[in-house]
Amino acid sequence: MQITGKRYLDYSSFIKLTFGERVQKIALDIGFSCPNRDGSKGYGGCTYCNNNTFNPDYCEPDRSITSQLEEGISRFSKRNKTQKYLAYFQAYTNTYSDFNSLKAMYDEALRVPGVIGLVIGTRPDCISDVIINYLSQLAKTHYIALEFGIESTLNSTLKRVNRCHTFEDTIAVYERCKNKGLHLGAHLIMGLPGESRVDLLQHAKIISELPIDTLKLHHLQIVKGTVMAHQYKHNPERFDLFTQDGYIEFIAEFISVLRPDLIIERFISQSPQELLIAPKWDGLKNFEIVDKIDRKLAERNTWQGQFYKKESLVVC
C-alpha cells in the first residue's frame, strides 16, 4: 500500500482506501471487568490503568449499546452526515464473558443503522476459540478488528505492572486468530518502568514478527487513581518518563525498525489534564505532535522499515 506524502503507513489513509469514505469509531463502555481486577488472576488491575482517561462522557455502562452508539453517532454526524461507523468496544476486556452474552452485544451493535463493523479491545488471555470463530463468521459481511493489549514483550515488565499474562500468551492468541478474516491490532506502552531504550526498540523488532495489521503506541503517563500514581509519588526515581522532544526523537527511530507493511494507527494519546500527574508536556494537541514526528522523520531522512530485518520471536 502506497501512502503519498507519508514516511509510514498511517491508519486514516488505510481506512479511506478500505472503505472509500470517512469511517468513525464510536467508543462503548459495557461494564466489563478484567481477570486481574476481579480475582480470577489478580486484584487491582494494571498498575497504570484508569479507564476514565479515554472514555467519552456518553460511555456509561448502565446505558444500552444502542443508546451509546446512537448518541455517539449523533455527535459525529453533525460534522459529516454521510460517514459510516465502527462500534468500538473499548473499556477494559471486551471478550471477558460467556459466548451468548458477547454474541448478543456484538449483534446489537451491528443492528444500529450506519454501523458497518466492530473494533474489540481485549487481552491476549481472555478470548475463546468459540468467540474467535464467531467473529470470523461476522467478518465475512462486516469489518471486524481485534485489538490486543500487548503493552510489553518482556515478561518481567508484564509481571511488574500486574498484567497477569505473559508474552507467550500474546504469541499464542495471534496464532489462533490469524487467517480468519479478522483485522488484528496491537497496543504498546512506551517507557514502562525498568525498560531501557534498547528494550523499547527490541519491542518494535519482536512485534513486527507477529501476524498483526495495525499498531497503537503511546508514551507512559502517570494518572490519578492508579497504583502507579502511588508508586511514582514514593519512588519517582524508578521512572524514566519521556519528554515531548525525547519521545518524538525516539519514535522516529522506532519506526525505522518496524515491519514496513504494518499500519500505524496511533503514535500518541494524552490523558485529560485533570487526571494527568506526569509527564506534563507543553500543551500541544495530538495532531500537532504527530506533525512534529512527520517533520522529524523528514529531517532524519528516516522512514518505516528502513532498518527492518526479519527476526525470530524471542520471549524474555
Side-chain angles (χ1 to χ4, degrees):
M1 178 172 58
Q2 295 295 318
I3 306 295
T4 303
K6 292 285 187 181
R7 291 172 174 260
Y8 53 87
L9 296 184
D10 72 297
Y11 185 72
S12 61
S13 297
F14 161 73
I15 288 294
K16 289 175 183 176
L17 286 172
T18 301
F19 297 105
E21 62 180 321
R22 178 181 174 82
V23 176
Q24 176 67 50
K25 289 182 185 176
I26 305 293
L28 299 169
D29 185 344
I30 312 304
F32 285 104
S33 185
C34 293
N36 60 348
R37 286 181 174 271
D38 65 10
S40 174
K41 288 191 170 185
Y43 293 97
C46 303
T47 60
Y48 52 78
C49 183
N50 180 342
N51 265 263
N52 290 327
T53 58
F54 51 77
N55 264 0
D57 56 11
Y58 62 81
C59 288
E60 300 172 2
D62 58 345
R63 298 180 61 180
S64 71
I65 290 170
T66 299
S67 174
Q68 291 185 53
L69 283 172
E70 287 179 342
E71 180 163 347
I73 289 171
S74 175
R75 294 186 183 195
F76 284 106
S77 65
K78 294 174 183 177
R79 306 177 193 174
N80 189 331
K81 296 184 182 300
T82 62
Q83 66 186 0
K84 302 297 184 183
Y85 302 91
L86 299 172
Y88 184 14
F89 289 80
Q90 182 180 24
Y92 297 110
T93 306
N94 292 276
T95 56
Y96 189 43
S97 188
D98 63 278
F99 171 73
N100 288 331
S101 297
L102 292 169
K103 180 179 182 298
M105 292 177 186
Y106 301 153
D107 289 351
E108 179 182 349
L110 289 172
R111 287 195 297 269
V112 174
V115 173
I116 60 173
L118 308 175
V119 179
I120 301 168
T122 188
R123 291 164 50 104
D125 58 337
C126 287
I127 187 166
S128 67
D129 287 335
V130 175
I131 289 297
I132 292 170
N133 291 333
Y134 181 65
L135 293 175
S136 181
Q137 289 298 311
L138 289 179
K140 294 178 180 179
T141 53
H142 300 84
Y143 178 91
I144 308 295
L146 273 174
E147 294 182 356
F148 291 101
I150 297 176
E151 316 313 355
S152 175
T153 67
L154 293 173
N155 282 336
S156 57
T157 299
L158 295 174
K159 182 177 181 180
R160 188 179 298 117
V161 300
N162 197 42
R163 283 294 290 178
C164 296
H165 70 75
T166 65
F167 188 59
E168 289 92 338
D169 294 326
T170 296
I171 295 171
V173 79
Y174 283 119
E175 285 299 310
R176 291 162 55 207
C177 292
K178 72 179 183 181
N179 302 323
K180 291 183 178 291
L182 305 171
H183 294 266
L184 301 178
H187 180 271
L188 280 176
I189 300 174
M190 298 287 94
L192 288 168
E195 294 193 344
S196 67
R197 189 182 187 91
V198 172
D199 292 330
L200 298 181
L201 292 174
Q202 189 65 19
H203 291 337
K205 298 173 183 179
I206 292 173
I207 63 165
S208 289
E209 305 314 316
L210 295 171
I212 59 176
D213 304 295
T214 60
L215 175 64
K216 284 182 175 179
L217 305 169
H218 71 74
H219 65 297
L220 177 64
Q221 298 168 89
I222 312 298
V223 296
K224 297 176 182 178
T226 65
V227 173
M228 197 169 278
H230 176 81
Q231 294 171 338
Y232 181 74
K233 179 179 179 180
H234 293 280
N235 299 105
E237 72 281 356
R238 296 182 182 177
F239 295 82
D240 186 14
L241 300 176
F242 277 106
T243 65
Q244 182 177 284
D245 288 344
Y247 187 68
I248 291 166
E249 189 77 34
F250 167 75
I251 286 296
E253 186 174 2
F254 187 90
I255 289 171
S256 72
V257 296
L258 275 179
R259 197 178 77 219
D261 64 344
L262 186 53
I263 299 156
I264 302 175
E265 185 166 354
R266 186 180 72 195
F267 290 121
I268 188 75
S269 178
Q270 292 182 287
S271 299
Q273 287 300 307
E274 65 272 17
L275 294 176
L276 181 63
I277 296 173
K280 296 286 183 104
W281 289 0
D282 63 9
L284 291 180
K285 297 184 182 300
N286 286 2
F287 76 88
E288 294 175 303
I289 295 174
V290 172
D291 182 63
K292 283 180 172 285
I293 291 171
D294 289 339
R295 283 188 272 135
K296 179 60 66 174
L297 289 167
E299 174 189 311
R300 292 174 51 144
N301 194 26
T302 297
W303 59 89
Q304 183 178 343
Q306 183 180 15
F307 302 114
Y308 168 71
K309 295 180 180 178
K310 187 171 179 60
E311 297 193 6
S312 299
L313 287 172
V314 177
V315 179
C316 298

